Amino acid sequence: MSSPTRQPAPLGLSRTAFGLLITIVGVLVLSFEGVLIRSIEVDSWTLLFLRGMLAAPGLFLFFLIVERRGWRDQVRSMGLAGLLAAVLFAIDNVGFIYSITHTSVANTLLLISLSPLFAGLFTRMVLRERVPRRTWLAIGGGAVATLIIMLGSLVEGDLAGTIAGFIAAAAIGGTLVVLRAHPHLNMVPAVALGSGLAALVGLPASVPSSADSQDWVYLVALGLIVVPVAFGLIATGPRYIPAAEVALFLLLETVLGALLVWAVIGEVPTVATVVGGLILVVVLAAHSVATLRSLAEDPSTDIAK
């Protein structure tokens, strides 16, 4: 894979600050996914098909809005890397939907929060890229928080849902590393293709007619707004900051997603989830401050060189 190259940052921000900004916004939007999925009363295969069918064109539209000119060259340049990212993202989609429909939202999200560990490992193995010590420390803190959450929430999950969530975490970590390996390319079309592939996986067993009018309202919000905006921004993040950094902020979804489901659906998180979530927020805040302080002290340390 090619080594990351410098990609100018918009809005007059440094590359690191811009990468952190779009990643955090993407994760905040993604936090609403659990509530919407829990509100849709269809089986997991139908949900996988309809979500992917709507998200694929939504993501591609996001790509066209961002790129405007030169989008054809971007699509042609993705090649095998784009196909690999699409397959990995499809695996993540299948694993995530199966997991979140076969166990609690909090349990699924905590499993997904393992993705920074996979992203950091794959970054070292595949890209040979140095992962900042502050990121490893933050990942360690996130692992402690995840362990605390796990003690309180895994009790209600089944083995199949747990395995599916674990596979999804590995797949999203791998996806982010592939995106990071090609920072000169906008890989959102690959993510769109991945959504389409996931839809094809769910198609044979899906029953679209089982979705009523209220389900379709939630599906449209999920497939045409939440998924395209969230993953469009998150998929752009590795062009500016390391994959492990992007994956680290997905930990924030573990807390926000569980809290939103609690507030809207009434799925009450355990005390362990609350305690672990508070630790996670502190870890992420400290990591962001350390990253921006490092950049302020020495601009040459800007991450995605």
Side-chain angles (χ1 to χ4, degrees), residues 159-276:
L159 181 60
T162 299
I163 292 174
F166 187 81
I167 292 173
I172 197 168
T175 302
L176 291 172
V177 171
V178 173
L179 299 181
R180 171 63 176 168
H182 301 273
H184 57 292
L185 295 177
N186 188 328
M187 287 287 217
V188 173
V191 177
L193 177 59
S195 291
L197 292 176
L200 291 178
V201 172
L203 177 59
S206 68
V207 186
S209 61
S210 63
D212 60 24
S213 58
Q214 187 174 33
D215 289 331
W216 275 105
V217 171
Y218 295 136
L219 282 165
V220 169
L222 177 66
L224 293 182
I225 300 175
V226 171
V227 173
V229 173
F231 282 107
L233 292 173
I234 292 171
T236 305
R239 302 178 77 184
Y240 300 93
I241 59 178
E245 300 259 356
V246 175
L248 181 63
F249 281 95
L250 292 177
L251 292 170
L252 188 59
E253 188 198 1
T254 303
V255 180
L256 296 178
L259 289 177
L260 283 170
V261 170
W262 176 22
V264 178
I265 306 298
E267 190 173 288
V268 183
T270 64
V271 174
T273 299
V274 175
V275 173

Side-chain angles (χ1 to χ4, degrees), residues 120-157:
L121 178 62
F122 296 155
T123 293
R124 288 295 296 167
M125 291 173 57
V126 180
L127 301 184
R128 304 295 182 186
E129 179 181 337
R130 176 184 172 273
V131 177
R133 185 175 66 174
R134 63 178 176 273
T135 300
W136 284 118
L137 290 174
I139 288 174
V144 172
T146 298
L147 179 60
I148 293 173
I149 297 172
M150 185 180 297
L151 293 175
S153 63
L154 277 182
V155 176
E156 298 183 3

